[in-house]
Amino acid sequence: MIEDNIRILRQAARISSKDDYKVEKGWCIVAGNDALVDNIAYRAIASNHKVKILFREHVILSDGKLDKKFDFIMLYGNEVNLSEYKNTAKKEGGAYVQVSKEHLSKESNVMVLVAPDDVIRETVSVIEKSRIPFAILEESQTTGFIDIEFNNEVKLPNFIKSVLKPFYNANEVVLSTILISVDKESDIGKVQSIATSNRIFVIDFRDIVTEEES
C-alpha cells in the first residue's frame, strides 16, 4: 500500500513537471459491496470530469434459498485517479482490475469477468478443458463481506431471518474480477457463452466505445 502511494506521488510529480505531458487514460472495474461502490462512484463524480462512470450494476444472484448481493462499477479516465481508487478498493475489501490502452494494443481480445470466486474458477476450468487458448492477465478478489439474505422462498418471520442472517454472512462470499485475453477472435463467442451460462458478467472491450480527446 505504501509503495502504491509512493508510485502515485512520483507519477503526479512527473506530470506536473512536464508542460507537454499527455494524460494517459484507461479503464478500471471495482467490485464489492454497495457501500464501497457508492464511495468509488462519489469520488468519480467529484473528480471534475477526470473520471467518467461508464456503468454500474447492482447484482442479486439467487443460490438456493439465499440471495447474494454485490455491486460493480466500470470507470474510464485519468490513470492517476484510477490508481488512487485501487488503494480505496483494497482498503475497503473490494476487487480491482485496471486496464490500460497498452493492454489493448499488446493483447488480443481483452475481456473482464466478474462473479463469485468459485464460479470464476469453475468457468476457467471449463474454458481450459474446451481447448480454448487464453491467458489470465490480472486477477483480484474481495476480502470484504458480500451481503447475503434469505429470498422470498424462505417462509420465516422477518425477526427469525434477522437472527439467522449473521450465521450466513459469516460464510464470506468472495468475488473475483479477472482480466483475460483470448488468442483467437473465433473463440470469443465460445468464452462468452460459457461465462454467461454460469451467470458471470462479461465485459468485452471490443464493445467499449470511449470518446477520445482530439
Side-chain angles (χ1 to χ4, degrees), residues 97-140:
V97 166
Q98 189 164 333
V99 183
S100 66
K101 292 179 180 177
E102 186 177 5
H103 277 125
L104 302 186
S105 63
K106 289 187 175 180
E107 303 291 342
S108 56
N109 308 313
V110 174
M111 305 165 74
V112 173
L113 310 184
V114 183
D117 186 66
D118 57 339
V119 178
I120 288 283
R121 290 179 181 274
E122 180 183 343
T123 300
V124 166
S125 176
V126 172
I127 296 171
E128 187 274 327
K129 289 174 182 176
S130 301
R131 300 185 182 279
I132 297 173
F134 75 107
I136 297 176
L137 306 177
E138 189 178 339
E139 62 178 332
S140 179

Side-chain angles (χ1 to χ4, degrees), residues 34-170:
D34 58 352
L36 164 64
V37 176
D38 281 346
N39 186 5
I40 297 293
Y42 180 88
R43 292 183 63 178
I45 294 167
S47 71
N48 194 21
H49 303 295
K50 292 185 178 73
V51 176
K52 178 181 179 181
I53 298 173
L54 298 185
F55 65 81
R56 174 182 179 165
E57 294 288 341
H58 179 66
V59 182
I60 302 176
L61 296 177
S62 295
D63 185 3
K65 298 184 183 299
L66 299 175
D67 287 339
K68 301 174 182 178
K69 300 181 179 182
F70 65 90
D71 284 40
F72 69 94
I73 191 168
M74 184 171 184
L75 307 169
Y76 172 76
N78 188 320
E79 287 191 341
V80 174
N81 292 77
L82 299 186
S83 295
E84 292 172 358
Y85 299 166
K86 178 179 182 179
N87 286 343
T88 301
K90 293 301 182 183
K91 184 178 179 181
E92 298 186 21
Y96 176 99
V97 166
Q98 189 164 333
V99 183
S100 66
K101 292 179 180 177
E102 186 177 5
H103 277 125
L104 302 186
S105 63
K106 289 187 175 180
E107 303 291 342
S108 56
N109 308 313
V110 174
M111 305 165 74
V112 173
L113 310 184
V114 183
D117 186 66
D118 57 339
V119 178
I120 288 283
R121 290 179 181 274
E122 180 183 343
T123 300
V124 166
S125 176
V126 172
I127 296 171
E128 187 274 327
K129 289 174 182 176
S130 301
R131 300 185 182 279
I132 297 173
F134 75 107
I136 297 176
L137 306 177
E138 189 178 339
E139 62 178 332
S140 179
Q141 287 82 32
T142 58
T143 56
F145 286 90
I146 302 306
D147 196 27
I148 300 176
E149 292 184 351
F150 291 101
N151 59 34
N152 292 331
E153 293 181 11
V154 179
K155 305 302 181 185
L156 289 173
N158 287 334
F159 79 92
I160 296 291
K161 291 182 180 181
S162 298
V163 170
L164 293 176
K165 182 179 176 180
F167 294 99
Y168 286 95
N169 276 333

